[in-house]
Amino acid sequence: MMIEVELREWEQQCCGDPFRIGSAVTWKLVARDPDEDGDRPMPGYWEEHHDQTPENVPHLPVTGTVRSAQALHYAFDEGPNPGELTVRPGSEVAVDLDAVPGAGTQLAGCTREHEVLAYRVQLEVAVGAELPAYVADDQDDWFEQD
């Protein structure tokens, strides 16, 4: 069974292990809000390894094989405050990768105005694998980088 997992670039750069297509990985996953996934063809999850998930939100270790990986690049515009940048709506560009770097490394070609914010991975997991269910939480932005 295939699922889609997004890894935030800052977490991967901080303490993620490098991986490539064909790698076996075990990640702690949190289900994305299905209402925000729109027409995506497979269930969606976030990878989380900084223990930011509230206790009432299911987060489980899931093992699978990486079948594809993309770097998600975004463009930025000046924000309302001097020096502040905001993501330009509709600017996502997905670039296919053979491998994703681990802690302490970044993809080349990133600038302050255009950078990788996440990686999108198609992960093949066993049929019947235990996956976390989506649970809404009252906290705002607990899963976003400050």
Side-chain angles (χ1 to χ4, degrees):
M1 170 173 71
M2 296 295 285
I3 63 173
E4 183 177 277
V5 179
E6 286 196 20
L7 299 88
R8 286 173 307 287
E9 191 279 336
W10 72 269
E11 280 197 291
Q12 185 66 17
Q13 183 184 20
C14 167
C15 50
D17 292 324
F19 61 90
R20 61 186 323 97
I21 293 174
S23 293
V25 297
T26 299
W27 291 326
K28 189 184 297 183
L29 301 183
V30 177
R32 289 191 309 229
D33 182 345
D35 291 338
E36 294 178 12
D37 276 352
D39 295 330
R40 293 190 182 190
M42 61 191 72
Y45 299 88
W46 289 100
E47 186 270 346
E48 194 266 314
H49 56 274
H50 280 102
D51 295 323
Q52 295 178 329
T53 306
E55 287 186 30
N56 67 311
V57 175
H59 48 291
L60 301 171
V62 175
T63 299
T65 302
V66 175
R67 295 299 180 207
S68 71
Q70 297 176 317
L72 304 179
H73 292 256
Y74 295 86
F76 294 85
D77 294 319
E78 288 296 322
N81 301 314
E84 180 181 342
L85 296 175
T86 59
V87 173
R88 183 178 304 146
S91 67
E92 179 182 289
V93 174
V95 177
D96 291 336
L97 301 173
D98 293 325
V100 172
T105 58
Q106 280 186 307
L107 288 178
C110 298
T111 67
R112 182 168 161 78
E113 292 77 28
H114 192 265
E115 66 181 283
V116 175
L117 294 184
Y119 300 100
R120 181 180 297 142
V121 173
Q122 287 192 4
L123 190 66
E124 184 176 6
V125 299
V127 172
E130 185 177 7
L131 297 169
Y134 174 72
V135 172
D137 191 85
D138 293 336
Q139 292 178 297
D140 290 337
D141 299 329
W142 64 268
F143 207 60
E144 299 297 321
Q145 176 186 6
D146 292 330

